[in-house]
Amino acid sequence: MSRISILLAVLALAAVPAKAQSQLGDVSKGGVLAQKVCAACHLVEKRQNNDKPAPAKTFQEIANNPARTEMSLRVFLSTDHRKMPPLILTEKETDNIIAYILSLK
């Protein structure tokens, strides 16, 4: 095997974990879950109509913030916040909500 072939094989193998990590969660399941647990305080859909202002930022505003990455959302969702009710999510639920929020970008 030539050095180029070995290098290409190593690069191909290195790309697999990165691709797997980028497949975060299920966007549609995240949207459904967000409607159930987050919609009391947040507007969670792009075109959601509400006759009163939400007490918290909309999910669209959260998604539009360039600082909102998968990691920042994961840290936020796993940390207690004074203005947010306690939120206990499984790892998969967290992945799904993060995938949903990031899909709004």
Side-chain angles (χ1 to χ4, degrees):
M1 202 178 223
S2 73
R3 286 184 177 178
I4 292 175
S5 297
I6 293 171
L7 178 61
L8 290 175
V10 169
L11 290 174
L13 289 173
V16 172
K19 185 175 182 181
Q21 289 173 357
S22 70
Q23 296 173 351
L24 185 59
D26 186 305
V27 172
S28 62
K29 287 181 180 178
V32 170
L33 182 59
Q35 280 294 335
K36 288 181 184 175
V37 299
C38 306
C41 299
H42 297 273
L43 293 177
V44 299
E45 294 180 13
K46 279 186 177 185
R47 293 175 182 79
Q48 183 176 340
N49 292 325
N50 196 349
D51 55 352
K52 61 182 178 171
K57 288 185 179 184
T58 69
F59 272 31
Q60 188 65 58
E61 290 172 315
I62 294 167
N64 289 343
N65 182 333
R68 293 299 164 248
T69 63
E70 177 212 337
M71 183 60 71
S72 72
L73 290 168
R74 185 169 304 284
V75 168
F76 183 85
L77 291 172
S78 64
T79 307
D80 289 336
H81 297 280
R82 188 169 45 98
K83 294 183 179 182
M84 196 166 127
L87 185 63
I88 300 171
L89 300 172
T90 67
E91 185 176 339
K92 195 63 184 165
E93 289 170 331
T94 300
D95 289 347
N96 292 343
I97 286 184
I98 292 170
Y100 176 72
I101 292 171
L102 294 178
S103 77
L104 299 174
K105 286 188 180 244

